[in-house]
Amino acid sequence: MKLPPQMPAQAVESAQGRTARLATDLLQLRFTLLDQLWRGGTYLVLMCMPLWLLLLREQGWHAPLALSLPGALLLLPLAFYRRHLSYAMLSGLLTGLLWLIGLPWVMHYGPGSHGLWWMLMACVYAGVLWGRKQILVSLLTLVLWFGLSLNVTPHPSESPLLAGLNLLCGAAFLTMLMHTSSQGYGAMMRLLMGLKSQADDLEIHGLHDQLTGLPTPRLIADRLLVAQQSARRNGHKVGVLFVDLDGFKGVNDNHGHEAGDHLLQQVAQRLRLAAREEDTVARIGGDEFLVLLPRLDLSANAAEVARRMVQSLSQPFPYQDRELRIGASIGIAIYPDHAQDSESLRRAADEAMYQVKRSTKSGYAFAHDSQEARTQNQLH
């Protein structure tokens, strides 16, 4: 069972910072997309303006121009002033002006006019900016106006300018639709990647100790169940080491909690180095650790790991200009020799550890050894 990489002690602060950055990125993406939509609408108005002026010269001042031209002229200054307006105002003004530009042409010339493209663009923008409920409302409204405009008799003086406007707006609509879809897809992928990264962080934080980066009791309990199932199928053993530090309280009392936290981080590193690659070292309490040894061939293999840990933790820990000294009492329980279920196995290792603390400290003992010692003490 391979260990995950150790999580740094600053992981929680990193996760909180990432959450804030994700919210900021999401807001920035929304404004960026809205800005691009405004820019596209402005370009389309600028492209249509010369044709509208030619149409005004050719056909005179009539209802579609009287209503849509002021809306188009209003859109231009707002496009330059848009960075000073709120998101809700910008999105509402954009979709409203697009409707104002397109509706008169549809009502006057019928659904075949270029005004239909403006209204379709307003519907798409409403969906992009406000969500699917708004686009449904916009589409239903468009269908209603489309139905009403079927009774409109097309203007008899259909000109090449109107046909050119229709072609220009159709091509621009399709171009902006593809561009918006591409931008929206890219933004969505970046957002999903950020959310996945955040979810991974939250999962790591829930399953790993914040100070040492070691697995928590929940994670090692799951791994112990898996290891026992594998042992039942393959006929090997599983070892559990209950590690309790000797003298840790004195370090906290004499040198402060900062020294204690530093010591726990160093202890975690030494335990991982003393364990095998497939073993799991977890922090289950203030100065208590649990070590899972899957796939043991002999009980002596667990004793060898415990011996290395006791020897490693007995060495001084450098801290600032001094050395900190502690020891470790380790209880060992083996599946299936000492217990058949994970809770009993852990309890047996815990009892063996307490027997070590009551006798010699800074050593290790198997569960059956502690039981024999307890029995001998009761007989005497």
Side-chain angles (χ1 to χ4, degrees):
M1 192 174 297
K2 202 167 184 178
L3 283 169
Q6 183 173 350
M7 185 182 65
Q10 295 82 7
V12 175
E13 296 178 4
S14 174
Q16 293 173 347
R18 181 171 293 179
T19 301
R21 289 195 302 271
L22 185 61
T24 303
D25 292 345
L26 177 59
L27 184 62
Q28 184 62 38
L29 285 173
R30 293 179 67 193
F31 272 100
T32 301
L33 188 58
L34 176 59
D35 187 72
Q36 291 176 348
L37 295 180
W38 264 94
R39 189 177 303 171
T42 305
Y43 289 158
L44 183 56
V45 166
L46 292 174
M47 286 188 293
C48 290
M49 190 67 69
L51 296 179
W52 282 336
L53 294 177
L54 289 174
L55 191 63
L56 175 63
R57 180 180 178 182
E58 180 183 292
Q59 297 184 357
W61 191 266
H62 56 290
L65 282 174
L67 293 174
S68 61
L69 195 56
L73 293 175
L74 181 60
L75 187 142
L76 294 177
L78 285 175
F80 290 101
Y81 194 71
R82 64 184 184 275
R83 298 185 186 278
H84 302 281
L85 301 177
S86 66
Y87 181 88
M89 185 175 293
L90 280 174
S91 55
L93 282 173
L94 180 59
T95 52
L97 288 174
L98 292 177
W99 271 89
L100 180 62
I101 294 172
L103 184 60
W105 295 96
V106 174
M107 294 302 298
H108 190 74
Y109 289 105
S113 69
H114 73 284
L116 184 65
W117 295 112
W118 289 92
M119 298 175 73
L120 282 173
M121 197 182 308
C123 292
V124 172
Y125 281 15
V128 171
L129 298 173
W130 294 341
R132 53 187 180 182
K133 289 184 179 179
Q134 295 295 335
I135 195 173
L136 287 176
V137 172
S138 300
L139 287 174
L140 288 175
T141 308
L142 179 61
V143 170
L144 175 62
W145 283 114
F146 183 79
L148 293 176
S149 64
L150 288 177
N151 298 322
V152 176
T153 303
H155 197 278
S157 57
E158 182 80 13
S159 69
L161 282 176
L162 287 175
L165 279 169
N166 198 359
L167 181 62
L168 173 64
C169 289
F173 170 76
L174 294 176
T175 301
M176 279 189 264
L177 181 62
M178 289 187 293
H179 178 71
T180 302
S181 300
S182 173
Q183 292 294 321
Y185 176 77
M188 183 62 66
M189 290 303 297
R190 289 193 295 273
L191 177 60
L192 289 176
M193 290 175 64
L195 289 174
K196 182 180 183 302
S197 177
Q198 184 184 24
D200 292 342
D201 280 348
L202 291 174
E203 182 180 1
I204 290 175
H205 300 154
L207 298 177
H208 289 77
D209 178 61
Q210 298 177 5
L211 177 64
T212 63
L214 295 178
T216 59
R218 173 186 166 190
L219 180 54
I220 197 171
D222 292 341
R223 292 185 176 182
L224 178 55
L225 288 175
V226 173
Q228 286 181 289
Q229 293 170 359
S230 175
R232 275 194 292 268
R233 289 193 303 266
N234 301 306
H236 53 250
K237 300 176 183 291
V238 174
V240 170
L241 276 57
F242 199 112
V243 183
D244 186 89
L245 302 183
D246 302 324
F248 177 75
K249 184 177 182 301
V251 172
N252 264 338
D253 294 342
N254 297 326
H255 303 285
H257 291 285
E258 184 177 348
D261 290 345
H262 174 80
L263 179 62
L264 288 173
Q265 292 172 343
Q266 296 301 311
V267 166
Q269 292 181 9
R270 292 192 185 185
L271 289 176
R272 290 170 64 95
L273 290 174
R276 304 172 305 171
E277 183 180 0
E278 65 269 27
D279 298 338
T280 298
V281 181
R283 185 187 178 201
I284 60 174
D287 61 346
E288 294 179 336
F289 300 84
L290 201 67
V291 183
L292 170 64
L293 310 177
R295 295 191 296 273
L296 286 177
D297 296 324
L298 301 171
S299 300
N301 300 139
E304 175 61 23
V305 174
R307 184 193 63 79
R308 289 201 302 266
M309 290 181 173
V310 170
Q311 183 177 8
S312 176
L313 297 182
S314 66
Q315 302 301 313
F317 292 84
Y319 175 69
Q320 296 180 354
D321 58 347
R322 71 202 78 169
E323 291 184 343
L324 307 177
R325 292 184 177 274
I326 59 170
S329 298
I330 302 179
I332 308 173
I334 304 296
Y335 170 87
D337 300 346
H338 303 134
Q340 298 297 314
D341 60 88
S342 57
E343 185 59 33
S344 299
L345 194 65
R346 173 175 167 168
R347 189 164 51 247
D350 189 14
E351 293 175 356
M353 180 273 297
Y354 273 109
Q355 181 60 32
V356 175
K357 291 188 81 72
R358 285 192 293 265
S359 57
T360 61
K361 288 191 177 182
S362 293
Y364 64 89
F366 281 91
H368 64 82
D369 295 337
S370 63
Q371 291 170 3
E372 291 175 0
R374 184 168 59 250
T375 303
Q376 291 175 0
N377 288 335
Q378 291 173 352
L379 290 175
H380 289 84

